Amino acid sequence: MPAPPPLSLQPADALLVIDMQNDFVSAVNGRGGALAVAGGHDIVSPIKTLASRFAHVVLTQDWHPRGHISFATTHPGKEPFETIAAPYGAQALWPEHCLQHTHGAELHPELDIPHAELILRKGYKRDLDSYSAFVENDHTTPTGLAGYLRERGLKRLFVCGLAYDFCVRHTAVDGKQLGFETLVVEDASRAVDLPGTVDATNDALARLGIPRVLWTQIHAASAR
Ligand code: VGL
Ligand code: ZN
């Protein structure tokens, strides 16, 4: 197999780092966060290195109030990873995670991307979840990110972080559908990996022409 071609970064590129928070990052040893994604800790250092090559970085932060619709505890008799019919469609249920102002909701302390320009919170409405950084789970309510990126002249998006099969997937799909050139940095992402979710993600990305790239392919323009 030939090495994948280098991707040279342009001034209008941005890196979107999705939900690299304590609750999603697995611990190096011992207990991870409330919804720890396997291998989550392995991508902290690659994302830090990758981010240093970008002039523009946006971080997202899952940010839920108590009693959030996505928490299994909000629905008596329901267990995490079951699905409910919410008014806006199917909603997967999760352990309580990323509660506002808790340690679990904080960005992982080793992430350290000082030049990140925006931290976008999402999922802050009690009765509406948001996987995507662009549009909430009703597929209607915008977060404002598309306007922010457009107003700043940012046109091509590289998406990485947690989780590949939920928030990374939906952010990439919505970004592409909103007219941004969009790529997913697959090896700087990790999946929750419920039955079928990774295959469904790969299919959705392929259908929309969203390439999956490796973080080592991505080079700062000045380095070439
Ligand atoms: C996420 C499940 C619940 C994610 C957020 O960041 O992928 N997954 N909330
Ligand atoms: Zn969440």
Side-chain angles (χ1 to χ4, degrees):
M1 277 272 287
L7 281 156
S8 190
L9 292 178
Q10 311 292 321
D13 290 342
L15 180 67
L16 306 187
V17 179
I18 304 300
D19 296 0
M20 289 297 291
Q21 296 163 260
N22 290 323
D23 271 343
F24 292 124
V25 173
S26 50
V28 196
N29 28 47
R31 240 163 56 83
L35 184 39
V37 177
H41 189 267
D42 300 343
I43 61 173
V44 174
S45 173
I47 289 176
K48 227 167 63 170
T49 305
L50 179 60
S52 72
R53 299 174 184 162
F54 279 81
H56 305 287
V57 180
V58 172
L59 311 175
T60 69
Q61 188 175 29
D62 213 35
W63 189 250
H64 300 315
R66 285 182 196 290
H68 191 249
I69 190 164
S70 79
F71 296 165
T73 49
T74 301
H75 309 275
K78 296 287 179 190
E79 296 292 330
F81 312 110
E82 288 182 36
T83 299
I84 58 159
Y88 52 81
Q91 171 68 51
L93 299 180
W94 306 102
E96 290 191 10
H97 63 279
C98 299
L99 269 171
Q100 294 170 1
H101 294 299
T102 60
H103 172 78
E106 287 171 18
L107 294 166
H108 195 274
E110 293 162 28
L111 193 64
D112 185 29
I113 304 176
H115 65 295
E117 293 170 339
L118 174 71
I119 300 174
L120 180 99
R121 288 175 172 169
K122 62 182 183 59
Y124 45 71
K125 294 178 185 140
R126 195 193 61 182
D127 298 324
L128 177 56
D129 201 7
S130 191
Y131 293 150
S132 165
F134 288 101
V135 187
E136 298 188 74
N137 284 10
D138 59 1
H139 304 294
T140 304
T141 309
T143 64
L145 181 59
Y148 170 89
L149 294 169
R150 284 191 194 120
E151 198 163 350
R152 301 206 52 220
L154 300 170
K155 294 186 162 59
R156 184 168 69 160
L157 311 178
F158 292 77
V159 188
C160 67
L162 301 171
Y164 178 74
D165 42 351
F166 287 90
C167 292
V168 170
R169 168 189 175 172
H170 289 282
T171 297
V173 163
D174 287 348
K176 180 79 180 190
Q177 288 182 327
L178 286 160
F180 298 93
E181 186 180 348
T182 304
L183 303 88
V184 168
V185 192
E186 187 170 21
D187 62 346
S189 305
R190 289 291 183 275
V192 175
D193 201 6
L194 300 181
T197 55
V198 170
D199 287 344
T201 300
N202 293 340
D203 289 349
L205 299 180
R207 231 179 358 254
L208 285 167
I210 300 171
R212 287 143 56 190
V213 300
L214 303 178
W215 75 267
T216 44
Q217 276 176 267
I218 301 167
H219 298 278
S222 56
R224 298 194 68 211

